[in-house]
């Protein structure tokens, strides 16, 4: 595409590049924009743009419990004592010489300043409205293709309630290089620039509009300007969040909805008329959507845009609850915007707390430099958190609440607000602030009116919709609801902030950079880096299924700056076994500095079976390598307690006693026993028809939860899952005390952990082919091994009983077929995620058995 200088405008630039993290650098008279996902060469003579695009993009799927990626490694000069390591390192081009000293750029620019970008999305053609706004198709649900770039292990979602991250010296702020992978000298420059940031930056206020609206599945029916732009000066940045964008089953299970386009258009048309805006990003998870816009004059100062989603629904699969977020760099300040929809119902405040913690621990953003650990929400200068947090007013009856609202006694109401109580108890949002609530509760109204809920449930009014913030130099100018909008049973909420952003003084920046480079020239010598480790042997005792154990140690550096990395051992594909990871696994240390490394051990469905069988043990050796230095060896040992989770169906059928009561050798033999289609008479004892652990869970649900509303759709509590697992593995079923939702989720996790699914991999494609043909489908089920066939029939009978009580539990065949279809029918090709077409066929296959006797 050739354009002339006169033709260049923001409307042309933004749609092309706004979703790529670009960095401008001038080399040999040509200008290049480089980033993690795109390289753009700008020929200054003819002003033509040449793009080199990647072949894929990164996806976040739910409940991928600790996927072990091996980060790339930049080879440096090899230590002669450790030449054996050289052939196991990934070969890469030699890095270019360090660039800070000879760096050049066009006037008025500096490295790290980029046009809108970051992320890995593809866009449709520009909308014909002249605004240059595009719909981000990659944001629909979780169905984004995999990125070829390595990413840090990210899914700590199921393994911890806490946000734990080590402090890393390297800053993601001071970007002075054009290449993602940099040498030691460049890393030192970046670290010193971060330390001296106040020497070359100043604080400038920018106005942020933050809005949240639960639209109850409705399409836009009225102009949004009373909410978005009435009575305020034009904001510099818009952060607009929605919840319950679409309540249909199609959106819930297949993550696609026309409501995305409808509300995107309504917001774009409702922005302040006195300014022109460019859309930076749209991100959506089922019904939770977040839009970020900036004024066009600020577009060049937005960089490193990344988005993530976290579903906190059942098993982490369902995105009806959870959060979406976008992080970006604005000038020299890092900002993270989070939009969340937490668990409903007055009594479920503990689940809301857990949802918040899950979002914090699982929301991790990759950095431009893939060698750096991912950024968590807390690792940002400014955090803005909005959404339907669903905290209610408790200990007051409905009429009392309404009376206090009429009297505008909002402080009395606020004293009974659940969010206030949980923040005071430091259970959630520690360190966050919220403005005074001077407006009446925003939930629940009769749709189309300002009348409180008159339905049968008659919900008590509550401040469900909130805006909180964390960071320095933040001043809230307004916090209000907007009663004029009546589309939903919620009222929209807005908050306007003045936020102090660090802006670079170009002259001071260059002076600071020159001083750092001069000091490095004096310091560089042939010294070999050396570190000390606080601990080298680690023992993890009584490791349990899906229960995180953490051991930590400290790396303390000597007098020479160094980079460290855990490297692969000979003939191994990763630096550690699948059940282990180091956090961070690589990093940089200035002289006399230290960093804490956490070794996290977590056994999941991928690793449990081999630990049960003895094919794997809690034993490993880690090699910690110093760039230009020596290697350090760390030993890991421990013992794993076998569990029914991760055990094959036929193995469990032969276990008459609880798995923890059996000798380890017996567990190993039964786990390694081959699955037989029919009993060949070789076994000494006849197996049970179905695993006793499966019967325990189903029987518990049949007795206690047959009429439970939202069964298999609402997540349980993590501590209760651990209790359920221990009861099943020890046979202490009489001690089982947990909520119906926790037992239901444990059942789903049990089915997901089976190394061979209930419907065996060998007949997977046959099932899809005969989907819709009940007779043919029954014939396929008849070919299953007896234990698998019995389990399938047993589960279908239980689900049919649930459907008989649908008037109470509100379940239907489509919901159950969608949930169980992906667990009972799994693609044998690498256990990959089902495509939408396969999902629908799997759902149809299960659905026909729910409507008929298997």
């Amino acid at each position: 595409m050739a354009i002339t200088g006169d033709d260049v405008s923001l409307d042309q630039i933004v749609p092309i590049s706004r979703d790529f993290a670009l960095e401008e650098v001038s080399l040999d008279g040509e200008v290049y924009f480089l980033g993690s996902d795109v390289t753009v060469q700008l020929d200054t003579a003819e002003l033509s743009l040449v793009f080199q695009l990647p072949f894929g993009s990164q996806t976040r799927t739910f409940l991928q419990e600790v996927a072990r990626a091996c980060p790339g490694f930049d080879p440096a000069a090899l230590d002669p004592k450790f030449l054996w390591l050289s052939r196991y390192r990934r070969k890469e081009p030699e890095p270019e010489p360090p660039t800070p000293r000879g760096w050049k750029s066009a006037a008025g620019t500096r490295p790290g300043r980029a046009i809108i970008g970051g992320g890995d999305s593809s866009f449709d053609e520009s909308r014909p409205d002249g605004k240059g706004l595009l719909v981000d198709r990659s944001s629909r649900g979780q169905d984004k293709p995999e990125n070829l770039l390595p990413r840090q292990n990210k899914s700590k979602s199921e393994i911890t309630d806490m946000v734990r991250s080590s402090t890393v010296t390297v800053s993601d702020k001071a970007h002075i290089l054009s290449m993602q992978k940099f040498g030691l000298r460049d890393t030192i420059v970046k670290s010193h620039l971060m330390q001296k940031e106040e020497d070359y930056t100043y604080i400038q206020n920018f106005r942020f509009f933050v809005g949240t609206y639960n639209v109850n599945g409705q399409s836009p029916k009225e102009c949004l300007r009373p909410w978005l732009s009435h009575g305020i000066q034009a904001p510099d940045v818009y952060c607009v969040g929605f919840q319950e964008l679409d309540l249909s089953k199609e959106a819930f299970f297949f993550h696609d909805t026309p409501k995305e386009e409808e509300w995107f258009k309504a917001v774009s048309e409702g922005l302040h008329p006195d300014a022109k805006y460019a859309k930076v990003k749209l991100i959506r998870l089922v019904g939770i959507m977040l839009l970020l816009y900036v004024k066009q004059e600020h577009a060049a100062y937005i960089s490193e845009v990344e988005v993530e989603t976290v579903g906190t629904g059942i098993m982490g699969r369902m995105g009806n609850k959870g959060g979406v977020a976008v992080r970006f760099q604005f000038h020299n300040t890092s900002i993270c915007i989070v939009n969340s929809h937490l668990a409903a119902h007055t009594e479920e405040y503990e689940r809301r707390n857990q949802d918040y913690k899950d979002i914090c621990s699982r929301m991790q953003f990759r950095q431009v430099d893939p060698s750096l650990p991912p950024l968590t929400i807390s690792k940002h200068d400014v955090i803005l958190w909005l959404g339907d947090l669903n905290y209610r007013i408790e200990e007051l009856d409905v009429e009392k609440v309404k009376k206090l609202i009429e009297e505008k006694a909002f402080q009395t109401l606020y004293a009974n607000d659940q969010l206030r109580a949980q923040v005071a108890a430091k259970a959630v949002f520690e360190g966050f602030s919220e403005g005074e609530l001077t407006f009446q509760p925003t939930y629940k109204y009769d749709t189309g009116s300002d009348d409180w809920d008159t339905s049968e449930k008659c919900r008590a009014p509550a401040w469900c919709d909130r805006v909180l913030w964390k960071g320095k130099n933040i001043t809230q100018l307004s916090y209000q609801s907007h009663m004029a909008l009546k589309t939903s049973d919620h009222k929209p909420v807005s908050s306007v902030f003045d936020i102090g952003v660090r802006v670079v003084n170009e002259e001071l920046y260059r002076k600071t950079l020159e001083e750092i480079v001069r000091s490095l020239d004096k310091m560089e010598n042939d010294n070999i880096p050396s570190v000390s480790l606080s601990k080298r042997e680690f023992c993890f005792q009584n490791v349990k299924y899906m229960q995180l154990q953490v051991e930590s140690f400290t790396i303390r550096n000597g007098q020479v700056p160094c980079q460290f990395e855990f490297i692969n051992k000979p003939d191994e594909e990763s630096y550690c076994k699948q059940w282990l990871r180091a956090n961070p696994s690589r990093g940089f240390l200035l002289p006399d500095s230290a960093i804490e490394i956490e070794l996290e051990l977590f056994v999941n469905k991928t690793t449990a079976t081999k630990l049960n069988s003895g094919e794997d043990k809690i034993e490993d050796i880690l090699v910690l390598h110093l760039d230009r230095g020596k290697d350090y060896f760390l030993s890991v040992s421990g013992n794993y307690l076998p569990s029914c989770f991760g055990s094959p169906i036929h193995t469990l059928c032969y276990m008459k006693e609880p798995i923890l009561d059996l000798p380890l050798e017996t567990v190993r033999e039964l786990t390694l026993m081959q699955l037989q289609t029919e009993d060949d008479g070789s076994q000494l004892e006849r197996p049970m028809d179905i695993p006793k652990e499966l019967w325990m869970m189903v029987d518990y649900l049949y007795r206690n939860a047959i009429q439970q509303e939202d069964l298999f759709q609402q997540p349980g509590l993590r501590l209760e899952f651990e209790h359920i697992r221990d009861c099943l593995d020890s046979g202490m079923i009489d001690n089982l005390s947990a909520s119906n939702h926790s037992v239901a989720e444990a059942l789903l996790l049990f089915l997901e952990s089976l190394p061979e699914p209930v419907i065996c991999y060998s007949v997977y494609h046959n099932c899809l082919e005969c989907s819709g043909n009940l007779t043919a489908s029954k014939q396929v089920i008849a070919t299953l091994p007896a234990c698998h066939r019995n389990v399938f029939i047993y589960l279908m009978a239980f689900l049919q009983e649930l459907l008989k009580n649908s008037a109470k539990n509100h379940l239907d065949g489509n919901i159950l077929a969608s949930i169980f279809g992906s667990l009972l029918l799994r693609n044998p090709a690498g256990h990959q995620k089902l495509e939408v077409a396969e999902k629908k066929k799997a759902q149809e296959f299960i659905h026909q058995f729910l409507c008929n006797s298997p």
Side-chain angles (χ1 to χ4, degrees):
M1 178 187 70
I3 53 177
T4 66
D6 294 336
D7 291 333
V8 177
S9 69
L10 182 78
D11 284 340
Q12 292 166 316
I13 293 175
V14 171
I16 293 171
S17 57
R18 64 160 164 252
D19 279 278
F20 301 103
L22 302 183
E23 200 157 30
E24 179 181 342
V25 67
S26 176
L27 297 174
D28 299 325
E30 293 185 335
V31 179
Y32 290 80
F33 293 90
L34 300 110
S36 62
D37 295 307
V38 64
T39 300
V40 183
Q41 177 182 349
L42 177 61
D43 187 326
T44 53
E46 298 182 4
L47 283 175
S48 62
L49 296 174
V50 181
F51 287 81
Q52 295 176 350
L53 297 174
F55 291 100
S57 59
Q58 181 72 31
T59 185
R60 159 66 64 92
T61 57
F62 301 118
L63 209 69
Q64 288 182 337
E65 293 134 336
V66 191
R68 302 300 181 186
C70 180
F73 178 73
D74 285 324
L78 297 176
D79 188 324
K81 297 180 182 179
F82 301 98
L83 291 176
W84 62 271
L85 293 169
S86 62
R87 65 185 214 262
Y88 300 105
R89 296 176 182 151
R90 191 171 72 183
K91 302 298 182 183
E92 297 186 1
E94 289 294 323
E96 295 183 4
T99 58
R101 196 172 183 187
W103 170 78
K104 297 185 238 178
S105 74
T109 65
R110 74 175 181 87
R113 177 174 297 173
I115 50 185
I116 292 177
D120 36 336
S121 305
S122 58
F123 285 80
D124 288 348
E125 295 181 357
S126 299
R127 294 162 51 84
D129 55 9
K131 295 185 178 181
L133 301 176
L134 302 180
V135 179
D136 182 355
R137 299 301 177 190
S138 70
S139 67
R140 296 181 185 275
Q142 309 103 303
D143 299 327
K144 294 182 284 186
E146 292 289 342
N147 196 314
L148 297 178
L149 291 173
R151 188 193 278 244
Q152 298 289 333
N153 298 331
K154 298 184 52 174
S155 50
K156 293 170 67 176
S157 53
E158 305 96 327
I159 59 180
T160 176
D161 280 333
M162 306 301 295
V163 180
R164 299 175 297 97
S165 53
S166 301
T167 301
V168 181
T169 312
V170 179
S171 167
D172 64 307
K173 296 182 177 181
H175 287 267
I176 59 171
L177 304 170
S178 62
M179 300 301 294
Q180 288 180 16
K181 298 191 176 180
F182 42 83
L184 178 60
R185 179 186 175 96
D186 304 330
T187 307
I188 298 172
V189 171
K190 291 180 67 174
S191 298
H192 280 294
L193 276 172
M194 179 55 196
Q195 290 180 343
K196 295 176 177 291
E197 184 182 39
E198 292 188 0
D199 295 346
Y200 59 86
T201 62
Y202 60 92
I203 300 295
Q204 179 178 334
N205 279 337
F206 293 88
R207 187 146 297 181
F208 281 63
F209 175 97
V210 180
T212 177
Y213 194 6
N214 182 318
V215 297
N216 193 32
Q218 304 297 310
S219 294
K221 300 172 183 175
E222 48 197 348
C223 177
L224 300 184
R225 282 193 174 174
W227 170 39
L228 298 175
S229 56
H230 180 70
I232 60 172
Q233 74 177 51
D236 297 295
V237 180
Y238 269 103
C239 314
V240 183
F242 293 95
Q243 306 84 39
E244 294 190 359
L245 200 75
D246 192 333
L247 299 177
S248 68
K249 292 183 178 66
E250 290 73 20
F252 189 69
F253 292 112
F254 304 117
H255 317 299
D256 199 15
T257 172
K259 301 286 180 66
E260 177 183 301
E261 174 70 19
E262 294 173 4
W263 282 103
F264 165 64
K265 181 179 179 181
V267 171
S268 299
E269 292 172 349
L271 301 180
H272 206 289
D274 293 344
K276 188 172 184 181
Y277 294 90
K279 190 201 78 174
V280 179
K281 199 69 180 175
L282 181 157
I283 178 68
R284 182 178 61 80
L285 172 66
V286 188
I288 310 168
M289 185 169 80
L290 179 62
L291 282 160
L292 176 66
Y293 300 83
V294 298
K295 280 184 178 177
Q296 77 166 41
E297 58 263 35
H298 303 318
Y301 302 98
I302 299 286
S303 63
E304 299 178 46
V305 181
E306 287 291 335
V307 296
E308 282 298 345
T309 66
V310 170
T312 59
I314 186 77
M315 298 175 64
R317 289 180 180 273
M318 301 305 180
N320 57 319
K321 295 294 188 291
V324 301
V326 57
R327 64 89 49 203
F328 59 98
Q329 200 81 4
F330 188 25
H331 288 278
N332 233 46
T333 294
S334 61
I335 299 175
C336 183
I337 317 294
V338 184
N339 174 22
S340 66
H341 190 191
L342 308 185
H345 307 305
T346 302
E347 68 279 5
E348 298 291 356
Y349 67 90
E350 287 187 352
R351 279 199 176 81
R352 288 188 274 280
N353 295 351
Q354 179 174 294
D355 287 351
Y356 165 80
K357 293 172 183 177
D358 283 346
I359 292 169
C360 287
S361 63
R362 293 168 57 186
M363 194 74 76
Q364 299 187 2
F365 306 91
R366 64 178 181 177
Q367 300 200 54
V368 173
D369 176 8
S371 69
L372 295 178
L375 290 171
T376 58
I377 293 172
S378 63
K379 296 295 184 181
H380 291 81
D381 300 319
V382 173
I383 305 168
L384 301 174
W385 196 304
L386 59 116
D388 179 357
L389 306 187
N390 251 326
Y391 287 94
R392 309 299 174 91
I393 295 170
E394 57 186 357
E395 298 183 0
L396 295 176
D397 61 42
V398 175
E399 294 307 317
K400 178 64 173 177
V401 170
K402 292 179 180 178
K403 186 175 186 297
L404 290 172
I405 293 171
E406 289 177 7
E407 298 171 353
K408 297 190 181 302
F410 297 139
Q411 288 306 307
T412 304
L413 275 179
Y414 184 62
N416 293 278
D417 177 69
Q418 285 182 338
L419 180 57
R420 182 205 62 78
Q422 295 306 306
V423 170
K426 297 186 177 181
V428 291
F429 291 105
E430 189 169 358
F432 280 80
S433 301
E434 183 183 19
E436 183 180 354
L437 295 172
T438 59
F439 51 91
Q440 70 183 47
T442 55
Y443 173 84
K444 178 180 182 181
Y445 296 86
D446 286 339
T447 301
S449 75
D450 293 334
D451 299 328
W452 297 115
D453 180 26
T454 58
S455 69
E456 180 182 349
K457 293 182 179 179
C458 194
R459 302 286 192 191
W463 285 296
C464 291
D465 311 284
R466 313 289 274 264
V467 176
L468 297 92
W469 74 89
K470 186 177 184 180
K472 297 179 179 179
N473 304 312
I474 303 175
T475 302
Q476 188 179 55
L477 303 180
S478 68
Y479 190 23
Q480 60 184 318
S481 64
H482 298 267
M483 298 295 292
L485 274 66
K486 308 179 192 300
T487 298
S488 173
D489 57 355
H490 289 247
K491 298 297 182 183
V493 169
S494 71
S495 183
V496 177
F497 297 93
D498 271 347
I499 297 180
V501 171
R502 287 200 169 273
V503 178
V504 172
N505 180 305
E506 301 293 346
E507 182 178 353
L508 293 178
Y509 174 83
R510 286 182 171 81
K511 287 182 179 179
T512 305
L513 179 60
E514 290 169 2
E515 290 173 1
I516 293 171
V517 173
R518 279 198 299 268
S519 67
L520 280 179
D521 289 341
K522 295 178 182 179
M523 186 187 73
E524 284 184 336
N525 52 52
D526 295 328
N527 289 340
I528 297 175
S530 176
V531 300
S532 63
L533 307 184
S534 64
K535 191 176 180 181
R536 299 199 192 190
E537 296 182 357
F538 305 87
C539 183
F540 295 86
Q541 295 184 343
N542 297 330
V543 176
K544 295 182 179 182
Y545 183 81
M546 280 185 69
Q547 186 164 325
L548 178 71
Q549 286 198 30
V550 179
E551 293 281 342
S552 62
F553 69 98
T554 301
I555 304 176
R556 184 165 295 281
N557 193 23
Q559 300 303 308
V560 181
C562 74
Q563 282 180 297
F564 67 87
E565 177 186 21
F566 289 95
I567 60 173
N568 301 359
K569 299 181 288 296
D571 301 321
E572 295 191 4
E573 296 180 352
S574 181
Y575 69 85
C576 65
K577 291 187 177 180
Q578 282 187 293
W579 37 259
L580 184 67
R581 82 164 184 170
N583 181 28
S585 63
R586 59 197 304 172
F588 168 77
L589 288 169
L590 287 171
D592 294 319
S593 64
I595 188 172
E596 184 181 44
I597 306 295
E598 291 181 334
L599 298 183
E600 300 172 346
L601 197 157
F602 183 68
V603 176
N604 60 14
K605 62 184 180 184
T606 305
T607 53
T609 305
K610 287 190 175 182
L611 288 169
N612 278 347
S613 69
E615 296 172 280
D616 192 12
K617 296 180 180 180
I618 305 295
E619 293 177 0
D620 203 0
I621 299 291
L622 303 184
V623 182
L624 179 65
H625 175 71
L626 300 187
D627 187 20
R628 300 185 302 119
K630 68 175 186 177
D631 294 343
Y632 299 80
F633 297 88
L634 287 73
S635 68
V636 175
S637 61
N639 68 293
Y640 178 67
L641 298 180
S643 175
C644 62
F645 289 86
S647 296
I649 289 177
H650 66 283
T651 295
L652 294 174
C653 286
Y654 278 101
M655 289 184 179
K656 303 295 180 66
E657 301 295 325
I659 192 170
L660 289 179
D661 290 349
L662 295 173
L664 289 179
E665 188 58 35
T666 301
V667 174
R668 291 168 184 159
E669 290 176 358
L670 291 176
T671 305
L672 290 171
M673 183 176 61
Q674 294 297 312
L675 175 63
Q676 309 250 335
T677 303
E678 295 295 339
D679 187 0
D680 59 4
S682 62
Q683 299 299 328
L684 296 178
E685 293 187 34
R686 176 182 171 82
M688 294 179 288
D689 291 333
I690 62 172
K692 59 187 179 302
E693 296 82 2
L694 175 66
W695 174 84
M696 290 175 183
M697 289 184 283
V698 171
D699 180 67
Y700 184 96
L701 293 173
Y702 182 77
R703 288 185 289 106
N704 298 286
I706 204 74
Q707 297 182 349
Q708 176 69 57
E709 187 175 353
D710 295 331
L711 194 67
F712 296 117
Q713 297 173 80
Q714 183 170 316
L717 294 172
R718 187 170 295 111
L719 288 177
E720 289 188 348
F721 166 75
E722 294 172 1
H723 168 70
I724 294 166
R725 176 206 60 213
D726 292 345
C727 288
L728 296 176
D729 290 341
S730 62
M732 305 294 288
I733 191 62
D734 292 337
N735 295 337
L736 181 58
S737 175
S739 70
N740 295 334
H741 294 298
S742 294
V743 177
E745 185 167 25
L747 173 60
L748 298 182
L749 288 170
F750 173 83
L751 295 174
E752 186 187 50
S753 73
L754 296 171
E756 182 82 19
V758 174
I759 300 176
C760 300
Y761 287 125
S762 59
V763 299
Y764 170 79
H765 293 291
N766 291 341
C767 291
L768 296 188
E769 290 172 4
C770 66
S771 178
N773 185 333
L774 181 59
T775 301
S777 298
K778 287 183 176 181
Q779 291 174 352
V780 173
I781 296 300
T783 66
L784 295 176
C787 54
H788 284 251
R789 184 171 63 248
N790 293 338
V791 167
F792 180 81
I793 293 172
Y794 182 61
L795 287 173
M796 291 302 105
F798 169 60
L799 297 181
Q800 286 175 351
E801 289 299 314
L802 287 177
L803 291 177
K804 291 177 182 178
N805 291 269
S806 59
K808 295 286 187 180
N809 58 37
H810 299 151
L811 291 170
D812 64 39
N814 288 326
I815 291 176
L816 292 178
S818 295
I819 294 170
F820 283 85
S822 60
L823 296 173
L824 304 182
L825 270 174
R826 290 191 240 143
N827 193 318
H831 304 262
Q832 67 187 20
K833 183 180 173 183
L834 296 182
E835 298 294 334
V836 172
E838 290 186 55
K839 275 186 183 180
K840 291 183 176 178
K841 285 188 176 181
Q843 175 182 339
E844 187 178 0
F845 182 87
I846 300 300
H847 189 270
Q848 60 190 350
F849 285 99
L850 296 180
C851 300
N852 301 275
S853 174

